[in-house]
Amino acid sequence: MIPRHDWQAESLKAVGLSDDYEELVDRVDYHFVDVPTADPNRREVLKTLGAGLLIAVAADSAHGQQPGRGLRPGGGRRGGGGSGATSVAARVHIGKDGGLTVMTGKVECGQGARAELSQAAAEELRVPIERVDLVMADTALVPDDGGTYGSRSTPSTIPAIRAGCASARSLLVALAAKRWGVEAAAIDVREGQAREAKGDRTLTYADLATDAEAAQGLARSVSPEVALTPVASWRTMGTSVPRPNGRDIVTGSHHYPSDVVRPGMLYGKVLRAPSFGATLESVDLAPARAMEGVVAVRDGGFVGVAAPTTARAQKALDAIAATAKWKTAPHPSSAELPAYLRAHAEGGIPANPFADEVAKGAKSLKRSYDVAYIQHAPMEPRAAVAEWEDGRVTAWVGTQVPFGVRSELARAFGLPEDRARVVVPDFGGGFGGKHSGEYAVEAARLAKEAGKPVRIVWTRPEEFTWAQFRPAAAIEAEASLDAQGKITTWRFLNINSGAGQVQTPYRVGRSDARFIPSAAPLRHGSYRALASTANNFARESFMDELAVLAGQDPLAFRLAHLDESRLRAVLVEAASRFDWPGRSKSKTPGQGVGLACGMDKGGFVAACASVSVDRDKGTIRVDHVCQVYECGKIINPANLLNQVKGAVVMGLGPALREASEFSEGVIRNASFGAYRVPRFADLPTLDVHLLDRPDLASAGAGETPIIAVAPAVANAVFNAIGLRIRRMPIRLPNAKDEPIAEA
């Protein structure tokens, strides 16, 4: 057994992630009757990349969110969670021409991973970043780094890539030392060349790849003692390297999964149920099969068509749908959701174990908060192209879990996993929503029937209806204060959405905080920061309410209960930059300020917001957001700034407008016209600041920066008009054509 390398375990520990960190998703499994069989086949990485030297690294057991942070405790890993610390996988290939290829199972979906992973490789190889060819998310070539979620790429995959590249550099130094008869300490590597400290001799990576002795073993595993470049010596990491394919993206020349075209390709459509819970009783495929070039298939619960054009595929699907007979099922509405979740909490809602102490406290408060279901709403909907050849299936898919989708394909068609290949082009947004691979399985089933490649791209209504939702939440909070305004008991229950940051960072005396699963009426799964958004919204709103109860300023009240130094630092910095002391005391009718903070996945965030509220019109406008974020040593300042700003803007959607409305099992706002994401006209002045901590390990930033936005806005609304809204989205009772918020 190969032990977990210290640089992996320490990186995870440094940002608060454990070895059993997982991401859960409510997966759709197809069970097909007609499946092929095949014999296993080994991947031939060297055959694809060419002759040279292959450096291997013990793969990290990559994970996502801790058990219970997803949908229910003990859910288990869904596949593609990383090959574990016992495997050795190809990480760096050095071609005989000196070409440097670095491989990772991570994907690029807009978060800037391609730039930062390339930076990590270039730093340790001591080469310009342009020399690094980064191969991402092709399961036939790359190691299983687990899914791209949970802010894992920075603390987990970057150290693995650095270790592999540092190992390649150490091999180059060792070869030079042997050839020249000098000590390794007398050799430096710069611009991809090993150089004598005193002398003119040089050696390149091409020399290393063509050295018979160095290449004799072909694959070498990284030593646990491999030396990584210290922060003080970074030249590429720590700088604002632009995205390698940024020009292609902004000029429109990049090919997304929905742009993939294969020879002879058909276009697929799948029959969807008319409502949640409906089951198909009968359907007639004859009208579709009578159309020229149309392939129609029913396999168990799956019904789909493929045709030479999208228009003909839609016409064929409409003809089939007209013959379908369904058995519908009762389904709650979004208006009934808060009561429904509480009524279906597993084991019921337990009594407060501190009830006697609460009764004896100087003051106490009990409040309920609700968070709606929302969709991820990526610009690119789910898309996949599948192709069969010699009993093997290849799928080009927009997914955050390439090896998980490979497992789904293998399971659906009874294949050994190495007979299924998943290739993930850089795709248009995931936000935690593209964790399952049913659309790849759908394309593969139609391609198998047609004997031709098939592309499936979900429509916007399909995306808003059949993709997984961010879980709704019903949250109960109760606390007591002593005569000095100190929190003596704390009770916090999250029903349905998860345990992410359900524990409070504040000093609260006796505490009972937990997650209680419920009978979720919609298919739900991961979302950016998942349950941390709901829990932070409720907790930071509740902290403001407790501050009012104690007669204290919200900032002072938090600081009086906050020992975590990093969280204090961002909160104090945000308040200072926002001028909280001055602005919180200056009152203008209809205008208010609020603040909130939080921590998750090794990141620490605080936000201050100012709002303008018009009670007569029922409108809330966010005018200004000042946010401070800290996640250890910054690897790419410009990319991190973009991530944090994007999180603030995205957070404004569910804070003010986004909510999936449903009744009778049907989503009623399944379009961008009806489902209101933030628009340019909605954007406030953004004042974002990053705290760089070179003394701390680098953590991710894809999720945590979103969690402080909504509670800061809710607290600002209360400050403006004295109305406490305890529901996301935060809507005034007379808001037009919007869900009514309870106050």
Side-chain angles (χ1 to χ4, degrees):
M1 176 178 289
I2 299 172
R4 172 183 293 276
H5 292 323
D6 291 342
W7 44 262
Q8 291 174 320
E10 290 305 314
S11 295
L12 300 181
K13 182 179 178 182
V15 296
L17 302 181
S18 63
D19 287 354
D20 61 352
Y21 198 66
E22 295 185 2
E23 183 91 345
L24 303 179
V25 65
D26 192 356
R27 187 180 65 242
V28 172
D29 279 321
Y30 281 113
H31 300 283
F32 296 133
V33 176
D34 183 15
V35 296
T37 58
D39 297 323
N41 181 65
R42 294 183 59 200
R43 292 184 300 175
E44 299 179 359
V45 176
L46 287 172
K47 181 178 178 181
T48 303
L49 297 178
L53 183 65
L54 198 64
I55 309 296
V57 181
D60 171 33
S61 181
H63 323 286
Q65 298 182 349
Q66 292 176 8
R69 288 195 175 190
L71 309 180
R72 78 181 43 245
R77 187 169 299 158
R78 60 171 296 277
S83 50
T86 60
S87 68
V88 175
R91 182 65 73 183
V92 184
H93 177 263
I94 305 173
K96 290 191 174 183
D97 60 353
L100 300 168
T101 303
V102 178
M103 290 160 281
T104 176
K106 294 296 185 181
V107 307
E108 173 62 77
C109 51
Q111 79 280 26
R114 184 175 291 278
E116 294 196 0
L117 295 174
S118 297
Q119 281 180 270
E123 184 67 63
E124 298 300 344
L125 289 167
R126 302 285 197 273
V127 298
I129 195 169
E130 295 79 14
R131 283 196 58 188
V132 175
D133 181 14
L134 185 68
V135 176
M136 301 183 76
D138 180 339
T139 61
L141 299 176
V142 303
D144 182 0
D145 287 322
T148 302
Y149 48 58
S151 291
R152 290 279 310 192
S153 297
T154 297
S156 176
T157 307
I158 282 180
I161 284 179
R162 291 183 66 192
C165 294
S167 179
R169 171 169 45 85
S170 68
L171 289 175
L172 179 61
V173 170
L175 178 62
K178 181 178 179 181
R179 284 192 182 182
W180 301 336
V182 299
E183 294 294 326
I187 298 171
D188 186 25
V189 178
R190 286 172 287 159
E191 300 298 316
Q193 293 183 328
R195 304 168 182 262
E196 283 185 283
K198 298 179 180 179
D200 298 327
R201 289 181 291 189
T202 62
L203 208 64
T204 68
Y205 284 109
D207 296 320
L208 176 63
T210 55
D211 183 85
E213 184 176 346
Q216 186 176 12
L218 194 63
R220 297 171 180 265
S221 59
V222 173
S223 166
E225 287 76 36
V226 63
L228 304 183
T229 305
V231 171
S233 300
W234 283 3
R235 295 184 178 182
T236 303
M237 295 178 72
T239 66
S240 294
V241 170
R243 300 189 180 194
N245 58 348
R247 177 174 290 275
D248 293 341
I249 291 173
V250 299
T251 59
S253 60
H254 173 69
H255 283 203
Y256 292 90
S258 52
D259 297 321
V260 172
V261 176
R262 301 295 296 168
M265 187 179 76
L266 302 180
Y267 299 84
K269 294 285 183 179
V270 176
L271 182 66
R272 308 292 180 192
S275 59
F276 298 121
T279 54
L280 183 64
E281 294 185 323
S282 66
V283 66
D284 185 2
L285 304 184
R289 287 173 172 167
M291 298 179 187
E292 183 179 356
V294 172
V295 174
V297 60
R298 179 179 183 182
D299 193 340
F302 173 81
V303 178
V305 298
T309 67
T310 301
R312 192 177 304 174
Q314 187 63 56
K315 184 178 180 180
L317 185 68
D318 291 342
I320 287 176
T323 73
K325 290 183 171 53
W326 299 87
K327 181 180 180 181
T328 59
H331 196 272
S333 69
S334 49
E336 302 165 325
L337 184 60
Y340 180 90
L341 292 177
R342 288 178 172 85
H344 290 80
E346 286 190 4
I349 300 176
N352 189 343
F354 314 128
D356 291 343
E357 294 180 54
V358 171
K360 296 175 183 177
K363 296 178 180 179
S364 64
L365 191 66
K366 183 178 182 180
R367 291 290 184 259
S368 298
Y369 301 88
D370 298 304
V371 177
Y373 278 112
I374 65 172
Q375 262 299 355
H376 302 79
M379 291 302 294
E380 182 184 31
R382 282 153 178 74
V385 174
E387 182 175 29
W388 289 88
E389 184 177 2
D390 298 330
R392 302 171 186 270
V393 62
T394 299
W396 292 262
V397 190
T399 178
Q400 294 173 245
V401 283
F403 284 87
V405 173
R406 184 184 71 170
S407 296
E408 290 187 46
L409 286 166
R411 185 167 52 248
F413 295 99
L415 296 171
E417 290 206 353
D418 59 2
R419 289 258 174 167
R421 179 184 184 184
V422 172
V423 182
V424 183
D426 295 5
F427 61 96
F431 313 114
K434 294 179 180 176
H435 285 193
S436 59
E438 65 270 26
Y439 44 110
V441 176
E442 291 166 354
R445 183 62 186 89
L446 290 172
K448 182 175 181 292
E449 189 75 15
K452 296 179 179 180
V454 171
R455 178 206 284 173
I456 281 184
V457 179
W458 280 19
T459 64
R460 192 58 62 182
E462 283 180 303
E463 187 74 28
F464 274 112
T465 301
W466 299 107
Q468 65 196 43
F469 297 80
R470 187 189 73 180
I475 296 175
E476 302 295 328
E478 186 174 8
S480 58
L481 306 177
D482 64 16
Q484 289 72 45
K486 301 296 184 184
I487 301 174
T488 54
T489 67
W490 177 273
R491 196 215 189 192
F492 192 91
L493 305 179
N494 176 301
I495 301 169
N496 190 65
S497 75
Q501 292 306 302
V502 74
Q503 301 296 332
T504 179
Y506 298 105
R507 188 183 344 101
V508 295
R510 300 186 68 186
S511 175
D512 174 35
R514 66 179 94 169
F515 159 55
I516 302 175
S518 184
L522 297 183
R523 177 194 178 206
H524 60 194
S526 295
Y527 183 93
R528 199 172 192 176
L530 193 53
S532 297
T533 53
N535 288 329
N536 216 62
F537 167 73
R539 178 173 54 249
E540 289 298 294
S541 297
F542 192 51
M543 285 295 289
D544 252 44
E545 296 201 59
L546 289 174
V548 172
L549 184 66
Q552 297 182 24
D553 171 78
L555 174 62
F557 184 74
R558 283 172 171 80
L559 292 175
H561 291 88
L562 192 55
D563 296 326
E564 168 54 61
S565 61
R566 295 172 72 180
L567 191 55
R568 285 182 67 94
V570 294
L571 180 57
V572 169
E573 183 72 12
S576 174
R577 289 182 177 275
F578 185 75
D579 185 23
W580 177 264
R583 297 179 71 172
S584 62
K585 295 175 183 176
S586 176
K587 289 294 295 181
T588 300
Q591 295 185 345
V593 295
L595 56 77
C597 63
M599 51 188 275
D600 196 13
K601 302 177 180 70
F604 298 80
V605 65
C608 297
S610 64
V611 302
S612 298
V613 183
D614 189 324
R615 295 198 69 169
D616 293 333
K617 295 181 179 179
T619 61
I620 300 170
R621 174 166 181 82
V622 180
D623 300 312
H624 177 207
V625 174
C626 175
Q627 179 152 300
V628 175
Y629 185 65
E630 186 262 291
C631 57
K633 174 57 185 171
I634 298 174
I635 293 174
N636 186 317
N639 189 62
L640 178 59
L641 187 64
N642 288 337
Q643 279 278 71
V644 177
K645 286 184 176 180
V648 172
V649 173
M650 187 172 181
L652 290 172
L656 292 175
R657 294 182 175 87
E658 290 184 47
S660 294
E661 301 296 323
F662 54 94
S663 62
E664 298 178 324
V666 178
I667 298 296
R668 300 299 179 182
N669 56 342
S671 69
F672 273 131
Y675 185 95
R676 185 74 152 73
V677 298
R679 301 172 183 174
F680 283 114
D682 301 323
L683 299 188
T685 299
L686 294 181
D687 184 17
V688 174
H689 301 274
L690 308 175
L691 298 186
D692 192 12
R693 292 291 303 270
D695 56 316
L696 297 173
S698 302
E703 304 193 56
T704 307
I706 201 174
I707 68 175
V709 179
V713 171
N715 293 334
V717 170
F718 175 78
N719 180 254
I721 60 174
L723 180 66
R724 175 63 62 180
I725 300 175
R726 303 185 183 92
R727 183 177 181 182
M728 285 176 63
I730 305 159
R731 305 299 299 166
L732 297 178
N734 60 332
K736 303 297 188 296
D737 300 320
E738 298 281 356
I740 296 177
E742 296 177 356

